[in-house]
Amino acid sequence: MLGLNLIIATITIHSTSALFQSLGFRQSSSISTLKNDILSLARETNRGLTESKLQREKMEKMFVDLEGKYTSREPLKNKALSAVWELRYTTSDSILGRQSKFSEKTGPILQTIDVANLYAENSETETYFGLVSLPRK
């Protein structure tokens, strides 16, 4: 699955066709529908935090289908990936905060990607005991 966990964990699916085409996808109504379905399920599962096994399997199938529509042979060399992305869905327990008993992720979870320098950094806000919110990198 081509490093699918990393891809699911980090890339927001934008609805702008120009960006999507620059990333190497053929534009079609089926891609648009697939993107909308992925974003809808991501919202429904609270970024993956509350997903069921069936929902995870459905999401993974949709990502495999979306990857099948990708035409670029060298995706990590595409400069269009260099940006700050908002995470909409992930399978990562640590990013979702499933392992923490004292805090929860609140607000957007962002990832900065710099293709030229092979660099990625996550940033998020955590709320501790429901009282104090702190940014975290």
Side-chain angles (χ1 to χ4, degrees), residues 1 5 13 30 33-35 37 49-50 75 78 84-85 87 91 95 103-104 107-108 110 117 123 126 128:
M1 268 198 313
N5 283 340
I13 299 172
S30 66
T33 299
L34 194 52
K35 291 187 300 182
D37 290 348
L49 183 63
T50 60
N78 191 326
V84 176
W85 297 88
L87 179 132
T91 57
I95 291 175
S103 69
E104 66 178 289
L110 305 176
N117 295 303
S123 63
E126 287 194 52
Y128 294 88

Side-chain angles (χ1 to χ4, degrees), residues 15-121:
S15 59
T16 59
S17 62
L19 175 62
F20 213 59
Q21 288 172 338
S22 73
L23 292 175
F25 286 89
R26 296 182 296 272
Q27 191 60 29
S28 72
S29 62
S30 66
I31 290 175
S32 181
T33 299
L34 194 52
K35 291 187 300 182
N36 289 331
D37 290 348
I38 288 170
L39 290 171
S40 177
L41 185 56
R43 281 188 300 275
E44 185 180 317
T45 63
N46 191 21
R47 294 190 275 221
L49 183 63
T50 60
E51 72 185 356
S52 68
K53 182 180 176 190
L54 183 62
Q55 288 170 317
R56 178 179 279 209
E57 290 170 357
K58 181 179 179 181
M59 183 67 86
E60 288 177 354
K61 181 186 180 323
M62 287 190 294
F63 268 91
V64 168
D65 292 348
L66 188 60
E67 280 185 332
K69 297 178 185 316
Y70 190 67
T71 59
S72 175
R73 298 285 180 235
E74 297 180 318
L76 293 180
K77 291 185 178 181
N78 191 326
K79 292 182 182 4
L81 287 176
S82 292
V84 176
W85 297 88
E86 181 180 355
L87 179 132
R88 300 285 182 95
Y89 175 83
T90 185
T91 57
S92 170
D93 289 339
S94 62
I95 291 175
L96 288 170
R98 284 189 178 123
Q99 299 163 337
S100 177
K101 296 177 183 173
F102 307 109
S103 69
E104 66 178 289
K105 306 290 191 225
T106 56
I109 300 173
L110 305 176
Q111 184 172 64
T112 302
I113 296 176
D114 180 348
V115 173
N117 295 303
L118 298 176
Y119 172 80
E121 178 181 68

Side-chain angles (χ1 to χ4, degrees), residues 121-136:
E121 178 181 68
N122 290 342
S123 63
E124 62 239 3
T125 301
E126 287 194 52
T127 300
Y128 294 88
F129 305 106
L131 301 171
V132 178
S133 295
L134 300 171
R136 190 181 122 191

